[in-house]
Amino acid sequence: MRTTGIASARVKLKRAQHHIASVVADVDAFERSDPWGIRTEWITAEETSTELVYGISVTKWNEPPADLPAKIGDCFTNLRAALDHSVYGHACTTLAATKKRALKESERRNLYFPLAKSQSRLNSSADFLAPAVHSYVVGLHDLEKDWQSPDPTIRHLALLRDFVNYDKHEAVIPGTADLHVSDMTICGDIEFIADRVQYTNGEVKLGVPLLRLSFRKLREIDVVEHNDLLKGPTVAFPLVLRLPNHVPDTNLHVGEPLTIPREPPLAATLQGMHDAVESVLDELERLGL
């Protein structure tokens, strides 16, 4: 017997979780393989009587697994399919009742779960969704903030919409803009100058400082004391999902972690998409689909 509706949607969701687990395992294995070599050092040639400069350079650079983008694409495809399967039967019945006739095949093919970017597209879905269902779907949108919404369900559904038809080979890049600096402990003899951070955009050049952090001397400091001034930092290039058609902010954000820029971390975002879709299926089922 053919599986349809919410039951079919949950099959797709389960398949998506399988692909997500595979991606997470690959990412964990890659990041444990020591793919990047990092050198951190005080740049004595740039020291002045009032300031010190701490440099972070890349000494080794390995690419992530070649099949990772394809696996991520499988996650997106199954998550999107789960949403579409969840409303398809309901949408066919509702639209047929509205038109008071059987639907044409072309009409059936154009029925989907609305993840809209405009109010007009969202309004048009009222033709094939019952009022209670349509009202719920409208509440899953923030047309102003979209994927930057603070609501995790709205955010992850918007990200899924943008990524599902995007070239997956451009979606995940452990690029130079993904530098994370954390666990930095500063002694009381120097002060971090947040607005003097220098970051080199573009292609990574091995051995050339990628990031320069400036510190103000609070007293006269001898060269032999440099190693005691700063503990850490931890430096990494975690894999992220590069947002389609989004020009990232290239300014360093001071905090934990110190990040350029704040783009969606790969594994956490895929799981967030899964959880968002699962919550939608649960609510649609409660509404009677």
Side-chain angles (χ1 to χ4, degrees), residues 78-282:
N78 279 275
L79 289 171
R80 176 71 228 202
L83 291 174
D84 291 341
H85 282 225
S86 70
V87 299
Y88 179 72
H90 167 82
C92 287
T93 301
T94 303
L95 186 59
T98 299
K99 292 181 175 293
K100 298 180 180 179
R101 61 168 173 80
L103 298 183
K104 300 174 183 178
E105 184 59 30
S106 60
E107 292 172 323
R108 290 177 174 273
R109 285 199 301 267
N110 287 324
L111 295 176
Y112 53 88
F113 185 95
L115 289 178
K117 299 191 75 169
S118 68
Q119 190 64 52
S120 60
R121 291 294 296 274
L122 196 54
N123 291 344
S124 66
S125 65
D127 292 340
F128 56 84
L129 297 177
V133 177
H134 183 256
S135 177
Y136 170 62
V137 168
V138 169
L140 296 173
H141 290 74
D142 184 337
L143 297 178
E144 180 180 349
K145 295 180 180 178
D146 202 47
W147 58 263
Q148 293 178 316
S149 170
D151 183 292
T153 299
I154 294 175
R155 169 178 168 79
H156 284 104
L157 290 176
L159 286 171
L160 174 60
R161 177 205 63 217
D162 280 1
F163 277 121
V164 73
N165 292 322
Y166 188 61
D167 180 352
K168 309 308 183 300
H169 286 277
E170 297 295 333
V172 54
I173 308 171
T176 59
D178 306 328
L179 176 64
H180 285 220
V181 181
S182 59
D183 303 321
M184 187 168 65
T185 303
I186 304 169
C187 83
D189 294 326
I190 57 175
E191 179 181 56
F192 179 48
I193 308 174
D195 61 357
R196 290 280 302 281
V197 171
Q198 298 179 34
Y199 178 72
T200 303
N201 289 303
E203 182 180 358
V204 173
K205 296 181 179 179
L206 300 184
V208 178
L210 178 67
L211 181 70
R212 287 177 169 82
L213 305 177
S214 294
F215 297 84
R216 185 177 295 107
K217 296 179 182 179
L218 302 181
R219 66 171 180 82
E220 188 173 342
I221 296 173
D222 191 273
V223 173
V224 296
E225 299 178 284
H226 284 182
N227 290 337
D228 299 322
L229 297 176
L230 191 64
K231 300 301 180 183
T234 299
V235 182
F237 294 84
L239 299 181
V240 300
L241 288 169
R242 183 61 33 80
L243 297 168
N245 305 317
H246 173 60
V247 179
D249 174 14
T250 55
N251 294 320
L252 260 172
H253 300 276
V254 179
E256 291 294 332
L258 198 61
T259 305
I260 311 176
R262 296 179 185 228
E263 292 186 290
L266 195 159
T269 301
L270 289 178
Q271 190 60 50
M273 290 177 181
H274 171 277
D275 294 347
V277 172
E278 185 174 44
S279 72
V280 170
L281 301 189
D282 290 345

